Amino acid sequence: MSFAKYLLPALAASQVAFAASCGDTTIENQSDADGIASCSKLNGDITIAKSYSGSLSLAGVKTISGSIICNGGENVTDITAASLTSVGDAFNLEGLTRLTQLAFAELTSVGSIKWNALPKLQSLNFDKGVTEAGDVIIQNTGLTSLDGISLKTVNQFEIENNRDLQKININNLQNATDLINFSGNFDALEIELPNLGTGTNMTFRNISSISVPSLEKLTGQLGFWGTEFTTFSAPNLTSTGDLVFNDNSKLSNISMPVLTKVDGGFTIARNDKLQTIDLPKLEKVTGAIDFSGKFNTVDLDGLTDVEGGFNLQSTDGTFNCTHFQSIRKTVIKGTYHCDANTTNPTTSNGKSGTSSGSSSTSSATSSGAAVANGASMAVTGVAAFFYAVAQLL
Ligand SMILES: *[C@@H]1O[C@H](CO)[C@@H](O)[C@H](O)[C@H]1NC(C)=O
Ligand SMILES: *[C@@H]1O[C@H](CO)[C@@H](O)[C@H](O)[C@H]1NC(C)=O
Ligand SMILES: *[C@@H]1O[C@H](CO)[C@@H](O)[C@H](O)[C@H]1NC(C)=O
Ligand SMILES: *[C@@H]1O[C@H](CO)[C@@H](O)[C@H](O)[C@H]1NC(C)=O
Ligand SMILES: *[C@@H]1O[C@H](CO)[C@@H](O)[C@H](O)[C@H]1NC(C)=O
Ligand SMILES: *[C@@H]1O[C@H](CO)[C@@H](O)[C@H](O)[C@H]1NC(C)=O
Ligand SMILES: *[C@@H]1O[C@H](CO)[C@@H](O)[C@H](O)[C@H]1NC(C)=O
Ligand SMILES: *[C@@H]1O[C@H](CO)[C@@H](O)[C@H](O)[C@H]1NC(C)=O
Ligand SMILES: *[C@@H]1O[C@H](CO)[C@@H](O)[C@H](O)[C@H]1NC(C)=O
Ligand SMILES: *[C@@H]1O[C@H](CO)[C@@H](O)[C@H](O)[C@H]1NC(C)=O
C-alpha cells in the first residue's frame, strides 16, 4: 500500500519527464513550464503564448540553445528563470504591458536582446549580470537603469525612448562593434562608458551628460543632437568618422585635445553657446568642414588637409577669416566659404547655423539626420555648397 503511494507520484513525474521533448516549447500556462523543468538543456526555442496570464517560472532549465520569445503577452506579470545561464539566440519580449519583473539571477550570456514596449518594467533582477550579448535593443520600457546589463562587448546597442532611464554606466564595455544609438530616453540621461576604447558609430540625442574618458578610435560616425551638456570631453580620442554637433543648446566646450583625423565630414551647427572651437591637433578631414554659429575663436592650427569643402560662418564680428584665407590654397581641396560677421550664418546646405536664425530652422536637425542615415558629408556637403553658390551667381 505504502509502496504504491510512493510509486504513483514517481511514475507521474517520470511520465512528465518523458513527455518533455526538451525541444521547441510553447508555454500557455505554468503546467507547460513545469513540463520542461527536467530539461536542464533545452534544445530549441521557448515561446510564451500571448494568452499567458500571471507569473511564469521557468525552473530547472539551465541553457536554451534557441530563443525566448513573447510577443503581445499583455497579461504576463513576471518571469523568473532562476537557474538559466545562457540563451543561445534571441531574448525577445514585445508588448508585455503588465510585466513588472524579470528575475534571471544566473543569466550571463544571450545571443541578442530585443525588448520593446515593456512600460511597467523598471529594473532587472539579473544578479550575475549579462556580460555577453550580440545586439542589444531596448525601446519603450520603464527601466530606470540598465543595471544587470554589464556587457564587455556589444554589436548593435540601441537604447531608445525609455522615458525613465536616468543613468547608464556600463563599466565593462570596452569595444562596440556596431551602431550605438541613445535617443529619446529621460531628458537628463547620464551616460558613463568609462572603459569603452573603440567603437564604430555612436549617436546620441537628448542626453544630459556623457563620459568617454578611454575612447580612442571610432571607425564610424560620432554625433550629438539635442543634448543638454555644457562640455563634451574625449581626452583620448584620436580619430572618428563623420563628426556632428547639432542643436546642443548648452554646449560651450568641445574638448578633443588629441583628435587628429576626421574620416568624413565635420559639422558644427546650432550650438548657440559655443564660442571657442579649439582642436589644436586636428590635421586631416577627409570630408567637408562645415561650422556655423556664434563662435568667436576657431583654432585649427594643425590642419594640413581638408579633402572636401570648407564653410565657416559666424555672427561674431570679433573673429576674422584671415588665417583660413591664407591656408585656403594649400589645405582646402573643396570649395571655400568663410564669413565672420554675418547675421544669418548657415550650414553648407543652407540651413540656419543658429537656433535663432531665420532660414528654415526646422530642417536643420534633419540635415543632421541625413548624415546619420549614411549620406556622406564629403559628397553632400560639397554638392550642396556648389548648388548654393550656383544660386547666388
Ligand atoms: C496548459 O496548456 C496546455 C496547452 O499548452 C493544455 O493542454 C493544458 O490543459 C493546460 N493546463 C492547464 C492546467 O490549464
Ligand atoms: C488579458 O486578460 C484580459 C482580461 O482577462 C483578456 O480580456 C485579454 O484577452 C487577455 N489578453 C490576451 C492577449 O490574452
Ligand atoms: C573589437 O571587436 C572587434 C570585433 O570583434 C575586433 O576585431 C577588434 O579587434 C576589437 N577591438 C579591441 C580594441 O578589442
Ligand atoms: C589615454 O591614453 C593613454 C595613452 O595611450 C593611456 O595611457 C591612458 O590610460 C588612456 N586613458 C584612459 C582613461 O583610458
Ligand atoms: C530630442 O532631441 C531632438 C533633437 O535631435 C529634439 O528635436 C527633441 O525635441 C528632443 N526631445 C526631447 C524630448 O527633448
Ligand atoms: C573644456 O573642458 C576641458 C575638459 O573638461 C577642460 O580641461 C577645459 O579647461 C575646458 N575649457 C574651458 C575653456 O572651459
Ligand atoms: C560687422 O558687420 C556690421 C554690419 O554689417 C558692421 O557694422 C560691423 O562693423 C562689422 N563688424 C566687424 C568687426 O567687422
Ligand atoms: C584678423 O585677426 C588677426 C589676428 O587674429 C589680426 O592680426 C588681423 O589684423 C585681423 N584682420 C582683420 C581684417 O581684422
Ligand atoms: C537612433 O534612434 C532614433 C530614435 O529611434 C532614430 O530616430 C535615429 O534614426 C537612430 N539613429 C541611427 C543612426 O540609427
Ligand atoms: C556609420 O558611420 C559612417 C561614417 O561616418 C556612415 O557612413 C554610416 O552610414 C553610419 N552607419 C549608421 C548605421 O549610422
Side-chain angles (χ1 to χ4, degrees):
M1 234 13 202
S2 62
F3 177 65
K5 193 168 134 197
Y6 288 108
L7 183 66
L8 268 174
L11 257 179
S14 72
Q15 271 165 1
V16 168
F18 275 109
S21 68
C22 296
D24 290 346
T25 304
T26 298
I27 293 182
E28 292 186 3
N29 50 49
Q30 184 59 49
S31 316
D32 291 343
D34 295 342
I36 55 167
S38 61
C39 300
S40 80
K41 286 187 182 170
L42 189 117
N43 216 345
D45 298 334
I46 289 184
T47 306
I48 302 167
K50 70 194 240 184
S51 60
Y52 194 99
S53 184
S55 296
L56 170 61
S57 170
L58 294 167
V61 182
K62 292 195 174 122
T63 64
I64 294 172
S65 68
S67 301
I68 298 181
I69 298 164
C70 184
N71 213 321
E74 59 172 326
N75 296 321
V76 179
T77 54
D78 58 86
I79 305 175
T80 301
S83 43
L84 186 65
T85 59
S86 79
V87 177
D89 199 355
F91 185 0
N92 289 357
L93 301 176
E94 169 132 19
L96 281 68
T97 50
R98 293 191 178 80
L99 183 77
T100 57
Q101 179 164 284
L102 283 179
F104 287 65
E106 299 291 315
L107 188 65
T108 55
S109 167
V110 177
S112 66
I113 288 175
K114 193 169 185 194
W115 298 337
N116 188 15
L118 313 174
K120 296 256 166 68
L121 183 68
Q122 298 188 334
S123 63
L124 302 171
N125 297 88
F126 286 11
D127 301 16
K128 276 212 171 148
V130 172
T131 51
E132 276 177 63
D135 294 346
V136 174
I137 300 174
I138 300 179
Q139 297 162 323
N140 302 295
T141 72
L143 289 171
T144 57
S145 83
L146 293 185
D147 292 354
I149 306 272
S150 25
L151 303 167
K152 290 191 177 112
T153 68
V154 66
N155 298 339
Q156 201 166 325
F157 193 33
E158 296 204 42
I159 307 296
E160 292 147 8
N161 303 316
N162 303 284
R163 295 286 180 201
D164 298 314
L165 191 56
Q166 309 201 355
K167 190 161 186 173
I168 296 175
N169 178 330
I170 302 188
N171 193 53
N172 285 334
L173 189 62
Q174 295 179 3
N175 191 359
T177 61
D178 205 333
L179 172 69
I180 290 186
N181 189 25
F182 290 86
S183 174
N185 298 300
F186 184 66
D187 291 350
L189 175 64
E190 296 173 17
I191 300 176
E192 290 174 17
L193 301 169
N195 294 303
L196 182 67
T198 57
T200 56
N201 293 33
M202 294 175 51
T203 55
F204 300 89
R205 285 176 178 75
N206 316 105
I207 61 172
S208 75
S209 79
I210 170 106
S211 168
V212 284
S214 308
L215 188 64
E216 285 182 16
K217 190 171 166 39
L218 284 181
T219 53
Q221 180 183 53
L222 178 60
F224 300 92
W225 290 265
T227 70
E228 300 268 302
F229 48 73
T230 54
T231 295
F232 173 70
S233 171
N236 267 11
L237 184 65
T238 57
S239 69
T240 76
D242 292 330
L243 183 54
V244 179
F245 292 90
N246 207 317
D247 254 313
N248 304 290
S249 60
K250 296 182 181 163
L251 183 65
S252 63
N253 182 356
I254 295 176
S255 176
M256 296 187 287
V258 297
L259 182 71
T260 52
K261 183 176 181 189
V262 175
D263 201 1
F266 187 179
T267 305
I268 294 180
R270 298 165 57 83
N271 308 287
D272 289 4
K273 296 267 161 62
L274 187 65
Q275 299 216 307
T276 302
I277 299 171
D278 182 11
L279 298 162
K281 292 271 169 60
L282 183 62
E283 290 170 11
K284 181 165 179 153
V285 176
T286 67
I289 285 185
D290 189 357
F291 295 169
S292 50
K294 299 185 171 180
F295 40 82
N296 58 32
T297 308
V298 180
D299 177 356
L300 298 174
D301 289 352
L303 204 57
T304 57
D305 187 14
V306 178
E307 293 181 7
F310 183 90
N311 175 54
L312 196 76
Q313 299 191 26
S314 177
T315 54
D316 201 294
T318 60
F319 160 70
N320 74 51
C321 293
T322 315
H323 172 69
F324 297 108
Q325 186 65 35
S326 75
I327 63 166
R328 171 178 181 176
K329 290 240 154 51
T330 50
V331 171
I332 297 157
K333 308 293 188 294
T335 51
Y336 170 88
H337 181 106
C338 185
D339 201 341
N341 182 22
T342 176
T343 45
N344 273 320
T346 57
T347 62
S348 61
N349 57 5
K351 303 297 190 302
S352 178
T354 60
S355 58
S356 50
S358 61
S359 50
S360 65
T361 48
S362 61
S363 43
T365 323
S366 63
S367 87
V371 174
N373 291 338
S376 161
M377 270 303 298
V379 177
T380 50
V382 172
F385 188 66
F386 272 119
Y387 175 76
V389 169
Q391 297 288 296
L392 289 173
L393 294 176

